Amino acid sequence: MSIGFDYGTANCSVAKLVNGQVKPIPLVGEDYYIPSTLCAPTSEAVSEYLFRVLDIKPLDSVGENVLRRAIRVNDEEGLDIRSDDVRFGHEALNLYLEDPKDVYYVKSPKSFLGAMGLRDVQLSFFEDLVCAMMANIKRNTERAVEQDVTQAVIGRPVNFLGRGGEESNIQAEGILRRAANRAGFKDVEFQFEPVAAGLEYEASLTEDKNVLVVDIGGGTTDCSFLRMGPSWAGKQDRRDSLLAHSGQMVGGNDLDIFTAFKRFMSEFGMGTQTLAGLEIPTTQFWNPIAINDVQAQRKFYAHDNLKQLKLMLKDAKQPDKLRRLMELHQGTMGYAVIREAEQTKIALGEQESYLANIQLLSEAVSIPVLKSQMEEAIAIPTAKIQALVEEAINQSGIKPDVVYMTGGSARSPILTGAVRNILPHTDIVSGNYFGSVTAGLARWSSLIYS
């Protein structure tokens, strides 16, 4: 059986096509979506979990070295890896929130896959992370449909990163393909996420149109300008229908990061000074919340940085605020801050103010945020999204008949308004913000594997 598989930055979902109709497949109970999160006792537990529990072996010598080291480290720490040691989705988040400092937690590993300059062992570990998540989704899918699932079309962004170019894309797609194969998918193909969303929208068209698909996901924004409609439906060769593509690593995560940085981090000492009148380095407030930047995370949570934070605390004019930053480090709580920024973003999509609440190890920090303040905070990623829309239009040389907006972050009236400012006289429509990519992938999967 074949499926469409949206391995998303924020959520994962799968679907199949039955008699021309897209059927989403429940992954956890009756839920069709599982957050792209993983939690384990240690990072090394993930690699040993694949080997011991799932009988998934490394593909090469680098992976074998990662596994051997993981087994050695876990043995030294007295860890006997069991089937329930690695959690996914909401279970992973809940376990992390219970005790952030004593578990390994990762959200949105897809954001790391295109990062350049990483060592082979780091890339191999990322592959293990993705493989564990994909294997969990495959098992849950097969349990729901009571069939083996061996073929998948997996969605991918136009560009995994804004830098790194095609080399970055090749690296990221290679990790996804190897992880999927190890998880048990024998046949794997990829489709651009905005093209997939467009295929789902096309099923509703009764006449041909020039459609600009704007897919604002958790990690990336992608635009595809497509000729769509009855004349194109059901065709595998659609090269002549693709007018333009643009994409960059800017999405819902960036909105959350900028909201946290601009509105929250002053409560952790950003903008304060040392006794000598020097400002505390801004990177100390950016790095803990930059959850889509593996290098920034490594720098902040490094043991050497703890020494630096202690020196800053000793020399701070407002030590109470800097002490909160110390708690972020000691409790590995950057994800908790971003989670509250995401709640703030969602709330301010419907109301004018919100009282954010960040629970630290020793206190709760309450921060009032106005909608206008959030709009100002996310001005930089909003402008990048607008630039991607303009780039796709300029590449095509024509104006679209309609803009189809999709992706979880496209629900934001701020971002809808930003696109409308570029195309004030063009209809903007939307469908299933979370499910259109998955549905289009299922349609493509049925077409190419039939």
Side-chain angles (χ1 to χ4, degrees):
M1 185 184 119
S2 68
I3 59 170
F5 186 170
D6 182 10
Y7 180 73
T9 305
N11 296 286
C12 298
S13 58
V14 296
K16 62 178 180 176
L17 198 69
V18 179
N19 298 324
Q21 298 297 314
V22 173
K23 299 292 184 184
I25 299 170
L27 294 175
V28 181
E30 296 182 357
D31 291 340
Y32 296 115
Y33 304 97
I34 181 169
S36 302
T37 56
L38 178 150
C39 190
T42 65
S43 60
E44 290 82 8
V46 178
S47 300
E48 188 172 355
Y49 167 84
L50 286 175
F51 179 69
R52 298 257 189 240
V53 177
L54 302 184
D55 193 29
I56 295 176
K57 299 176 178 62
L59 291 178
D60 54 30
S61 60
V62 177
E64 290 170 356
N65 289 337
V66 170
L67 175 59
R68 277 195 292 269
R69 180 185 178 278
I71 292 173
R72 185 179 69 253
V73 170
N74 291 332
D75 282 346
E76 290 171 354
E77 295 185 7
L79 278 177
D80 182 18
I81 305 302
R82 304 186 306 267
S83 60
D84 62 347
D85 277 337
V86 179
R87 308 285 184 90
F88 306 91
H90 290 296
E91 282 190 0
L93 176 60
N94 292 337
L95 190 61
Y96 163 73
L97 292 176
E98 283 177 15
D99 201 351
K101 65 180 179 179
D102 284 337
V103 296
Y104 172 76
Y105 176 79
V106 63
K107 175 184 178 183
S108 310
K110 183 180 177 182
S111 299
F112 304 153
L113 304 186
M116 305 306 294
L118 300 177
R119 292 177 293 131
D120 288 345
V121 292
Q122 293 171 310
L123 297 174
S124 182
F125 175 65
F126 289 161
E127 183 184 310
D128 282 353
L129 284 177
V130 176
C131 181
M133 296 172 70
M134 287 185 167
N136 176 64
I137 289 169
K138 184 174 184 292
R139 290 200 316 274
N140 291 351
T141 300
E142 291 175 338
R143 190 178 298 121
V145 301
E146 299 180 335
Q147 282 182 264
D148 289 340
V149 178
T150 59
Q151 299 173 315
V153 173
I154 300 174
R156 55 150 288 186
V158 173
N159 289 307
F160 284 85
L161 289 178
R163 55 193 181 279
E166 194 54 26
E167 185 180 354
S168 172
N169 292 331
I170 291 170
Q171 173 181 288
E173 190 174 292
I175 293 172
L176 289 173
R177 185 182 297 278
R178 289 190 300 273
N181 288 153
R182 290 174 66 198
F185 292 103
K186 295 179 181 178
D187 300 313
V188 175
E189 296 295 338
F190 293 92
Q191 179 59 275
F192 286 141
E193 289 159 356
V195 173
L199 293 172
E200 174 62 8
Y201 176 60
E202 183 179 63
S204 69
L205 293 177
T206 57
E207 60 179 339
D208 289 354
K209 290 182 180 292
N210 295 321
V211 181
L212 176 59
V213 180
V214 181
D215 178 16
I216 310 175
T220 59
T221 293
D222 297 287
C223 301
S224 286
F225 205 141
L226 305 151
R227 292 190 178 101
M228 312 205 85
S231 298
W232 297 98
K235 290 185 177 181
Q236 285 196 43
D237 185 355
R238 300 192 57 133
R239 285 171 293 184
D240 291 341
S241 74
L242 307 179
L243 303 176
H245 291 302
S246 65
Q248 190 178 348
M249 188 178 170
V250 56
N253 281 347
D254 297 272
L255 303 180
D256 301 336
I257 291 167
F258 273 85
T259 297
F261 184 67
K262 296 284 190 179
R263 303 310 313 164
F264 294 173
M265 296 315 288
S266 60
E267 298 299 321
F268 293 83
M270 188 169 77
T272 64
Q273 296 179 334
T274 66
L275 294 174
L278 301 175
E279 193 163 304
I280 307 295
T282 303
T283 53
Q284 292 287 7
F285 306 97
W286 177 263
N287 288 349
I289 58 174
I291 61 168
N292 56 5
D293 186 337
V294 65
Q295 303 289 10
Q297 294 277 284
R298 184 178 295 115
K299 287 177 183 177
F300 182 77
Y301 290 112
H303 183 69
D304 287 347
N305 194 46
L306 179 58
K307 297 178 183 177
Q308 185 64 32
L309 291 173
K310 287 180 178 178
L311 290 173
M312 286 165 44
L313 178 61
K314 189 176 180 180
D315 195 35
K317 281 186 179 179
Q318 296 177 263
D320 288 346
K321 289 189 174 183
L322 262 295
R323 198 168 285 113
R324 292 170 179 166
L325 190 65
M326 287 279 293
E327 285 198 39
L328 283 190
H329 185 285
Q330 293 171 320
T332 320
M333 298 186 68
Y335 284 109
V337 174
I338 290 301
R339 181 171 180 267
E340 187 57 23
E342 181 182 18
Q343 295 303 311
T344 302
K345 175 186 69 179
I346 293 170
L348 293 179
E350 299 178 353
Q351 57 199 55
E352 293 300 315
S353 64
Y354 178 74
L355 184 64
N357 186 69
I358 300 170
Q359 183 63 55
L360 300 177
L361 300 175
S362 64
E363 64 172 319
V365 182
S366 296
I367 307 168
V369 184
L370 299 176
K371 185 174 184 177
S372 59
Q373 291 174 323
M374 191 190 78
E375 289 179 354
E376 181 181 348
I378 65 172
I380 290 175
T382 299
K384 289 181 179 180
I385 291 169
Q386 287 180 307
L388 291 171
V389 172
E390 291 176 329
E391 181 183 344
I393 294 170
N394 291 337
Q395 279 184 31
S396 69
I398 58 174
K399 290 289 180 68
D401 298 319
V402 62
V403 176
Y404 180 66
M405 291 190 66
T406 190
S409 297
R411 295 175 300 165
S412 167
I414 297 172
L415 297 184
T416 303
V419 174
R420 184 170 284 112
N421 286 340
I422 297 171
L423 295 163
H425 306 299
T426 303
D427 288 340
I428 297 178
V429 300
S430 62
N432 184 335
Y433 287 111
F434 290 102
S436 62
V437 170
T438 315
L441 294 171
R443 292 183 183 280
W444 194 247
S445 174
S446 177
L447 182 64
I448 67 172
Y449 290 129
S450 58

